[in-house]
Amino acid sequence: MLLQLSVRQFAIVQALDIDFRGGMTAITGETGAGKSIAIDALGLCLGERAEASMVRSGADKAEITACFALGNLNGAQAWLREQELDGEDECIIRRVISAEGRSKAYINGVPVSLAQLKALGVHLIGIHGQHAHQQLLKADMQRKLLDDYAAHPQLLKQVSDIHKRLQASRQQYQSLLENQEQREARRQLLEYQVVELNDFAIEEGEFEILEAEHKRLSNSQSLLEQSQLSFHQLYEGDDFNALSIIQHALDRMSELQEHDPALSPIVELLNEASIQVEEASTQLRDYIEGLEIDPMRMQKVEQRYSRALELSRKHQVLPEGLYTHHQTLLSEFDDLQQDDNKLDELRAELNSLSLEYADTAKALSVSRLEAADRLSSEVETQIRLMNMSQAKFQFEVCFDEHLPQSKLGQDQIRILVSTNPGQPADTLEKVASGGELSRIGLALQVIASEHQKIPTMIFDEVDTGISGPTAAVVGQLLRRLGEKAQVLCVTHLPQVAACAHHQMLVTKFSDGNTTETHMMALEQEQRVEELARLLAGDKLTQKALDNAREMLSLD
């Protein structure tokens, strides 16, 4: 719950330090005194937008600090741990606003974003403003109130998750469907090209091997003739061959080196040359013996080589890239085939998801319908105590499978009210007056707050348009809520203030140049005087004081 609020240089507040207690606390004061300033300051701690006009005139910055006891607030504690903001027993939120309108936010001394403030705030405080009743006229607010009361977040999440998957599948299916004609034309072209390349079935690196063999076979006769001639000149010629000439020279030089050692290197070179020529001749003979002129092989290689060149020109790729091109077309063709199969799969998936969505949305509708009956009964009981004794109230939940599928289900939800006997039930905006709307809205807020289990709830002049005995009932309603949680209520009604466990007075002072607002906790006798002022105005009478004591049961 909220333990303390410190406000510096905010609006018409120079310095304000307030300690809060559990139960219901009424905040009263004269009109224009600034009763809602503390609420506005708390709103900034919960992530509301800051403006330069919020800084007190003449000050360079405004600063608001709120301290909360976490106690058994498991949600807040878990969130703080997840964000590594270290909070177990207490949490301190600070907001600083410069005179230029820039702001900074801190949780437990660590700088944070406004989104983080808002995310933490939902675990700490619920604020119900004086214009909240008008929001009740909106269908979204009526649905939210019912869903909050029903407390079925898991069902809401299931519907939302299935709807998200359904939307994604539907978009994918639509995209494939829209491009089906172009894909079919491309698939037919690819099918012809792939079949053609499949029939040829060139292997990786095959063209390079094929090209080399084609060159060799195309020149096989010349290779044979020239190789045979070279072998004859090197080794086999009877009258003349290179090996015999080198050997004769080697023999002569070997004899002459005995007379001149300078010939020894030449002898070594001739000896090596003899060995090299003999080895070359041996390998050339083996080459000649292995060289075959095979017209059938030549024809086969010629045909495959020519076909490879033809396909490469046809597909506008280099012959060396024909294999890679074939694999690319195969992959694209398979993808297109899979897209066609994917259409069938998506069609089946959409049917399955639609059925799953319908079942889950129906389950959500049933849960809403059950909660609607309970909430309608509770609200009707409360508003009948608020001088609407003949009123009838009903949350109408209509499931319509023909409505567009949404993440919130397929329910039409509206509040129907009849305020007078014989009057047919109709929507709030058509039936309820301003005062009646205030009473219905307040009953809904209080009942919903009881079920949401928010530790601190603030009601900012939500009793506007209510008076007399009805105000006493409202006060008792808020006090009952204060027995379970901390309730802060800004009010101008003595009947409501008298029901509070505690009371604070807001006052405003001006010296003609500056204006300041102060807030102080009232003791019991001070409460009597403040209630008497609310009853009788500025001039306190004994009758008003006695009436105030009676309201506080202090006689």
Side-chain angles (χ1 to χ4, degrees):
M1 72 174 190
L2 178 64
L3 295 178
Q4 188 179 53
L5 179 67
S6 176
V7 182
R8 296 288 183 273
Q9 308 297 343
F10 176 70
I12 56 175
V13 173
Q14 183 174 29
L16 189 63
D17 294 290
I18 318 167
D19 292 323
F20 293 94
R21 290 181 282 177
M24 175 187 173
T25 298
I27 301 173
T28 61
E30 293 183 359
T31 300
K35 296 188 291 297
S36 297
I37 281 183
I39 312 301
D40 295 338
L42 274 173
L44 287 172
C45 287
L46 301 177
E48 293 295 330
R49 183 180 175 184
E51 298 178 2
S53 59
M54 294 176 173
V55 180
R56 182 177 168 85
S57 179
D60 59 349
K61 66 178 180 180
E63 185 172 338
I64 299 104
T65 304
C67 179
F68 296 87
L70 299 181
N72 296 322
L73 302 183
N74 297 329
Q77 291 174 344
W79 187 90
L80 288 167
R81 284 194 298 270
E82 181 183 321
Q83 301 292 318
E84 298 182 351
L85 292 172
D86 185 33
E88 290 297 331
D89 298 324
E90 288 188 358
C91 173
I92 297 175
I93 298 176
R94 186 165 68 97
R95 187 85 181 269
V96 180
I97 307 159
S98 72
E100 295 75 30
R102 295 187 299 271
S103 76
K104 296 179 181 179
Y106 305 86
I107 296 177
N108 291 332
V110 179
V112 295
S113 66
L114 294 188
Q116 286 175 296
L117 282 187
K118 289 180 180 179
L120 175 60
V122 298
H123 297 288
L124 300 175
I125 290 182
I127 297 179
H128 304 276
Q130 55 183 312
H131 302 298
H133 306 326
Q134 297 301 320
Q135 297 295 316
L136 188 59
L137 298 175
K138 298 180 179 180
D140 286 345
M141 178 58 70
Q142 294 177 12
R143 178 202 52 76
K144 186 179 184 306
L145 279 168
L146 181 57
D147 281 337
D148 288 345
Y149 178 86
H152 46 209
Q154 193 59 38
L155 265 177
L156 286 168
K157 185 177 185 304
Q158 286 175 4
V159 171
S160 178
D161 289 348
I162 295 170
H163 177 262
K164 186 177 181 180
R165 288 159 51 202
L166 191 56
Q167 288 292 91
S169 295
R170 188 174 285 126
Q171 289 172 4
Q172 191 177 0
Y173 177 79
Q174 194 62 34
S175 176
L176 286 175
L177 197 62
E178 288 173 357
N179 298 322
Q180 190 175 24
E181 186 175 332
Q182 294 91 325
R183 282 200 323 278
E184 181 58 26
R186 179 63 177 165
R187 191 191 66 77
Q188 289 179 3
L189 173 62
L190 285 177
E191 184 175 21
Y192 169 75
Q193 294 177 328
V194 165
V195 167
E196 186 176 51
L197 291 173
N198 283 347
D199 290 342
F200 187 62
I202 192 168
E203 296 181 0
E204 188 173 10
E206 181 186 349
F207 181 79
E208 290 83 347
I209 298 171
L210 193 63
E211 186 177 39
E213 186 177 6
H214 180 268
K215 187 179 292 185
R216 180 175 60 79
L217 290 173
S218 298
N219 295 279
S220 59
Q221 187 64 41
S222 176
L223 288 170
L224 180 61
E225 291 173 358
Q226 293 301 319
S227 296
Q228 287 175 338
L229 177 61
S230 296
F231 180 71
H232 181 79
Q233 290 174 340
L234 286 172
Y235 186 80
E236 200 175 44
D238 293 335
D239 299 330
F240 176 85
N241 66 71
L243 182 59
S244 63
I245 292 173
I246 293 172
Q247 286 178 338
H248 288 317
L250 178 60
D251 290 342
R252 286 192 297 272
M253 291 299 103
S254 296
E255 292 175 0
L256 291 174
Q257 75 172 339
E258 295 179 1
H259 303 294
D260 187 354
L263 293 173
S264 294
I266 298 173
V267 170
E268 290 180 8
L269 288 172
L270 286 171
N271 186 52
E272 290 176 5
S274 174
I275 294 170
Q276 293 290 335
V277 169
E278 187 172 11
E279 178 64 25
S281 298
T282 301
Q283 291 188 21
L284 187 56
R285 182 178 59 235
D286 292 341
Y287 174 76
I288 293 168
E289 290 175 354
L291 189 63
E292 297 181 5
I293 299 177
D294 185 351
M296 295 298 292
R297 177 62 183 168
M298 177 60 194
Q299 183 182 6
K300 184 177 180 180
V301 170
E302 174 67 30
Q303 289 175 348
R304 190 157 181 79
Y305 180 71
S306 299
R307 180 61 173 158
L309 291 175
E310 179 187 346
L311 287 172
S312 69
R313 287 192 297 271
K314 187 174 183 179
H315 290 268
Q316 299 182 345
V317 295
L318 292 172
E320 296 86 347
L322 197 58
Y323 171 81
T324 301
H325 180 64
H326 181 202
Q327 300 307 308
T328 300
L329 293 184
L330 270 175
S331 177
E332 185 182 354
F333 183 71
D334 287 343
D335 287 345
L336 288 174
Q337 291 285 79
Q338 288 175 12
D339 282 347
D340 290 339
N341 296 334
K342 186 68 175 175
L343 268 174
D344 294 334
E345 292 174 7
L346 282 172
R347 206 175 282 116
E349 181 178 312
L350 281 171
N351 289 335
S352 175
L353 282 173
S354 293
L355 291 173
E356 187 178 358
Y357 177 88
D359 290 342
T360 312
K362 183 63 177 175
L364 175 62
S365 182
V366 169
S367 178
R368 282 172 171 163
L369 195 57
E370 292 173 351
D373 288 341
R374 298 194 308 272
L375 180 56
S376 298
S377 178
E378 288 189 46
V379 173
E380 189 172 290
T381 298
Q382 290 300 330
I383 62 176
R384 286 187 174 186
L385 295 174
M386 298 181 193
N387 200 27
M388 295 177 67
S389 59
Q390 303 297 318
K392 293 182 180 179
F393 180 95
Q394 179 62 48
F395 260 100
E396 182 182 70
V397 179
C398 295
F399 179 78
D400 187 351
E401 61 183 8
H402 300 297
L403 284 175
Q405 295 167 329
S406 80
K407 64 180 181 179
L408 297 170
Q410 291 178 291
D411 286 321
Q412 282 187 323
I413 300 172
R414 59 179 186 166
I415 294 175
L416 298 179
V417 177
S418 171
T419 57
N420 298 302
Q423 179 189 47
D426 209 334
T427 55
L428 276 175
E429 64 269 22
K430 292 181 179 179
V431 174
S433 65
E436 290 169 338
L437 184 61
S438 295
R439 281 171 272 180
I440 293 170
L442 184 58
L444 272 168
Q445 289 171 12
V446 171
I447 293 168
S449 297
E450 286 181 318
H451 288 269
Q452 289 173 29
K453 296 181 170 54
I454 297 174
T456 298
M457 282 158 286
I458 298 173
F459 296 89
D460 185 8
E461 296 196 23
V462 294
D463 51 13
T464 300
I466 296 172
S467 61
T470 303
V473 174
V474 169
Q476 292 163 10
L477 193 62
L478 292 172
R479 183 181 178 91
R480 187 187 76 189
L481 188 58
E483 300 290 346
K484 302 176 181 179
Q486 184 184 42
V487 173
L488 306 179
C489 177
V490 176
T491 182
H492 62 282
L493 297 177
Q495 297 93 331
V496 174
C499 291
H501 298 95
H502 321 288
Q503 188 170 344
M504 290 187 172
L505 175 64
V506 178
T507 54
K508 182 171 68 175
F509 300 94
S510 175
D511 60 4
N513 295 316
T514 60
T515 302
E516 289 186 23
T517 287
H518 297 279
M519 183 181 293
M520 61 178 290
L522 300 180
E523 298 297 334
Q524 287 193 344
E525 193 56 36
Q526 292 172 312
R527 287 190 69 183
V528 169
E529 293 180 3
E530 173 60 10
L531 287 177
R533 184 192 66 77
L534 291 173
L535 287 166
D538 292 336
K539 186 177 180 180
L540 298 183
T541 64
Q542 188 59 46
K543 185 177 180 180
L545 290 169
D546 291 341
N547 194 5
R549 286 194 179 88
E550 183 180 353
M551 292 175 71
L552 286 172
S553 300
L554 296 178
D555 289 344

